Amino acid sequence: MLDWWRDAVVYQVYPRSFADASGDGVGDLQGVRGKLGYLSDLGVDAIWLSPFYTSPLADGGYDVADYRDVDPRFGTLADFDALVADAHALGIRVIVDIVPNHTSSAHPWFRDGLRERYIFRDEPNDWQSIFGGPAWTQVSDGQWYLHLFDPSQPDLNWDNPDVRAEFRDILRFWLDRGVDGFRIDVAHGMVKAAGLPSVGTASSVEMLDDADVPYFDQDGVHDIYREWRPILDSYPGGRMAVAEAWVASPERLARYIGPDELHQAFNFEFMMASYGAKSFRDVIDKSLAEARVVGAPTTWVLSNHDKPRHVTRHGSLARARAATLLMLALPGSAYLYNGEELGLPEVLDLPDELREDPAFLRTGESRDGCRVPLPWTRDLGWTNPWLPIPASWGELSVEAQEGDPGSTLEFYRAALRLRRGLSGDEVTWLDSPKDVLAMRRGITVVMNTGETPVPIDGQVLLASGPLGADGSLPPDTTVWLVTGE
Ligand code: GLC
C-alpha cells in the first residue's frame, strides 16, 4: 500500500532509552531489534527512530557528526540492516530522523573549516538560540557562526550547492538501505532570509513563533522539498516524509504537504491543547479543517522526546488514557512515544547534575524527564542506565503489566487492535453536555472531562478506565461504543 502512512500508528523510539542489548546503560539498535516482537504485539505499523548516527550526543544525537554511520554506542550499520530486515519481516515499517538544519560541530566539514557550508559572519545579528542565549558563537579568528540551537550545532548554509547535494545523497543512502521514510527535524528551518535581518528584539525565540521570523518558514525551504520528493518517489513501496514544522497557521503548514513536497507534517496542536472537552473539540475541528486544506489526513501526537509526558501534562494517568483513546479514534495517523503505552509519567526529580539536555544549562528547562529509559522488568532491566529509572517503575514495567487486563499496556494493545476496524475521514459531533465530547466515526466515542459520571448508551467496545457500577461513564474516561444507528 503506497499511502500506508495515512492512517498509520507510528511508534517513536528514542534509541538511547528504549532497550539496551549491550548492557552499557545506553539503549541500542540491537535492543530495538530484540523488542520488535513486543512492538508487533502492541500493533504498531511503523517505528520512527530518533537519531542513532555518529554523534557527540550533545543534543541526544540531534547533533550529527556522520550522517552515514551508526554511533558505536548504538551499534553498527550491520545492526541497522538487520533491524530493518526483521522489522519488515514483521510488517513494521521504519522511519529514520534526518537532521538537515545543522550538523554537529564534530562533523568533518566544521572541523575542517569549510566555512562556506555554514553561516559565518564578521558580526553577529540579534538572533537568539532556541536553547537560550545568543544564536552566535565567536571562533578564534574573530568570526561568528550561527547556531539556532546549541553552539555545538552550527547551522548549515543551504545556499551552498554542496550542502544540497550532500543531503540528496544522504537520503539515497538510507533509502537504499530500505527505510520507508524520514522524519525531518526542524523542517521549517534551513533557509534564512537574505541578509540575515535582525529581528529587533532580544526576546528568546520559540520553535513556534507566530511572528514572521527571518530564520523559520522561509519560502525557499520549499525548493528543498521539491528536490527531495522525486528522490523519494523514485524508490518503490511508498517512501514518505513527515515534517517537524512549527509554523504559524494551517495555511503555512499546508504549503509543506502535497504531491511535490512532503507527505505529512506533525500537527502539534493536539499535544499543546489543555485538557478539556472544549479545548479538544476546538483543536480537532481545527485539525480536520487543516487536513482538508492540505488534502491529506492529519497526524496526532500526545507525547514525544521534547515535551513533558502527557500523563503529567494532563494531570493523571486516567486523563492520559482518556486522551489517548480519543486520539486513536480520530482519522489520520497517530504518533506514539516510547513508554506512553506503559503510562509512564514525566520524571520531575532528576538531579540537576545528571540532566543532559543542552537547553537545561542555558534556560533551566530540561527535556530529560521524558527521556528516562523504559522499564522492561520488575527489576527494570537495565544496568547503570544513562538516566536513573525510578524504582517505582518496576510496577509500570512490561513484565508487570503484560496479561493484566486493567493495565495501560493491555489497554493500548486493545485500542490499536480495534482501531484497525475504523475508517473514514470525517467526524460527526453529537449533542453532549458541557465537559463531554461525543462523536461518531463508524463507532461512537464519548469522553467525559467533567466531574460527574454521565450515562452512555450502546455496546462497549473499549473504555479507557473502569465504568461505573451502573454502566455510566466516570470522569476522565473515554469509551468506544457500538450504537444502534
Ligand atoms: C528538534 C528535535 C529536538 C532537537 C532540535 C534540534 O526540535 O525534536 O529534540 O533538540 O530539533 O535538532
Side-chain angles (χ1 to χ4, degrees):
M1 209 180 64
L2 292 186
D3 55 358
W4 59 272
W5 42 270
R6 284 180 169 261
D7 58 359
V9 174
V10 183
Y11 182 97
Q12 180 188 358
V13 171
Y14 195 68
R16 280 208 285 183
S17 305
F18 185 65
D20 179 14
S22 70
D24 65 354
V26 178
D28 44 44
L29 295 180
Q30 285 293 358
V32 183
R33 189 175 170 214
K35 299 297 182 192
L36 286 171
Y38 168 79
L39 294 170
S40 171
D41 290 346
L42 181 59
V44 305
D45 300 299
I47 54 174
W48 145 33
L49 296 165
S50 276
F52 50 79
Y53 314 111
T54 313
S55 165
L57 297 188
D59 184 21
Y62 285 93
D63 48 321
V64 181
D66 183 348
Y67 289 84
R68 295 184 187 76
D69 208 350
V70 176
D71 192 276
R73 283 163 285 193
F74 296 132
T76 62
L77 278 173
D79 294 340
F80 179 81
D81 293 341
L83 168 59
V84 171
D86 285 6
H88 284 172
L90 287 167
I92 298 175
R93 312 233 183 198
V94 179
I95 296 173
V96 296
D97 218 309
I98 184 110
V99 188
N101 181 68
H102 44 263
T103 69
S104 162
S105 51
H107 190 283
W109 286 1
F110 197 80
R111 284 251 166 102
D112 295 348
L114 299 179
R115 293 197 183 179
E116 69 286 359
R117 297 185 184 176
Y118 294 92
I119 303 180
F120 275 84
R121 292 290 182 274
D122 292 335
E123 295 293 335
N125 64 12
D126 65 355
W127 297 0
Q128 301 290 299
S129 153
I130 306 282
F131 291 163
W136 296 87
T137 291
Q138 196 167 27
V139 294
S140 54
D141 69 2
Q143 277 215 315
W144 301 76
Y145 67 88
L146 177 70
H147 51 85
L148 289 179
F149 294 88
D150 191 64
S152 67
Q153 294 167 297
D155 278 51
L156 284 162
N157 173 17
W158 277 84
D159 290 335
N160 183 308
D162 294 337
V163 170
R164 293 187 178 237
E166 174 73 353
F167 274 88
R168 290 195 300 267
D169 197 64
I170 292 166
L171 293 182
R172 288 200 189 90
F173 179 87
W174 293 104
L175 289 164
D176 286 340
R177 299 197 101 87
V179 305
D180 300 282
F182 298 95
R183 178 263 188 191
I184 304 170
D185 188 63
V186 199
H188 58 316
M190 292 129 95
V191 173
K192 279 82 186 174
L196 310 185
S198 286
V199 289
T201 157
S203 68
S204 69
V205 293
E206 305 276 344
M207 281 294 262
L208 177 61
D209 214 322
D210 284 346
D212 231 348
V213 285
Y215 37 80
F216 282 153
D217 198 24
Q218 299 296 303
D219 289 347
V221 77
H222 298 286
D223 296 339
I224 299 170
Y225 300 132
R226 283 191 284 265
E227 274 179 24
W228 288 8
R229 182 59 181 261
I231 299 174
L232 291 168
D233 287 347
S234 71
Y235 285 79
R239 316 291 173 106
M240 57 77 81
V242 54
E244 185 215 18
W246 297 82
V247 299
S249 68
E251 290 71 28
R252 298 298 299 183
L253 196 66
R255 304 174 78 224
Y256 288 76
I257 312 293
D260 62 344
E261 292 202 31
L262 305 176
H263 302 73
Q264 286 185 325
F266 288 123
N267 160 18
F268 290 121
E269 310 261 343
F270 192 58
M271 181 168 72
M272 307 302 277
S274 59
Y275 183 84
K278 175 160 185 344
S279 142
F280 286 148
R281 180 172 170 161
D282 286 350
V283 83
I284 291 168
D285 279 337
K286 195 168 156 200
S287 306
L288 294 177
E290 186 173 299
R292 281 187 284 270
V293 176
V294 169
T298 189
T299 59
W300 305 100
V301 189
L302 276 166
S303 282
N304 66 24
H305 66 294
D306 289 329
K307 296 286 174 215
R309 286 184 175 277
H310 68 283
V311 168
T312 304
R313 234 183 33 244
H314 287 325
S316 69
L317 179 60
R319 285 180 166 201
R321 286 171 55 149
T324 296
L325 199 57
L326 174 67
M327 171 174 88
L328 292 174
L330 296 168
S333 63
Y335 282 77
L336 308 180
Y337 177 53
N338 58 197
E340 70 170 81
E341 77 280 17
L342 303 177
L344 299 184
E346 185 79 359
V347 178
L348 298 170
D349 57 357
L350 283 170
D352 286 355
E353 64 277 14
L354 296 181
R355 292 185 185 267
E356 292 208 2
D357 183 354
F360 180 63
L361 290 177
R362 295 171 138 238
T363 63
E365 278 179 32
S366 142
R367 298 166 293 175
D368 295 295
C370 63
R371 299 175 178 178
V372 171
L374 267 63
W376 290 98
T377 50
R378 281 202 169 80
D379 64 6
L380 304 175
W382 289 75
T383 311
N384 295 324
W386 71 277
L387 282 176
I389 310 175
S392 59
W393 282 17
E395 282 315 303
L396 295 176
S397 66
V398 174
E399 182 184 38
Q401 296 198 36
E402 206 146 43
D404 169 358
S407 71
T408 304
L409 177 58
E410 296 298 345
F411 160 68
Y412 267 75
R413 286 177 173 170
L416 296 190
R417 198 167 50 242
L418 289 168
R419 188 181 192 276
R420 295 191 182 277
L422 308 185
S423 60
D425 285 345
E426 292 302 321
V427 159
T428 311
W429 294 111
L430 308 174
D431 284 344
S432 58
K434 184 175 161 293
D435 296 332
V436 175
L437 276 185
M439 61 170 228
R440 184 162 303 137
R441 181 178 172 232
I443 57 166
T444 297
V445 180
V446 187
M447 177 180 200
N448 182 6
T449 68
E451 285 173 5
T452 49
V454 293
I456 46 171
D457 192 16
Q459 178 207 333
V460 175
L461 282 173
L462 183 65
S464 66
L467 297 180
D470 58 354
S472 62
L473 187 66
D476 298 332
T477 311
T478 299
V479 69
W480 289 4
L481 299 163
V482 180
T483 46
E485 300 125 84

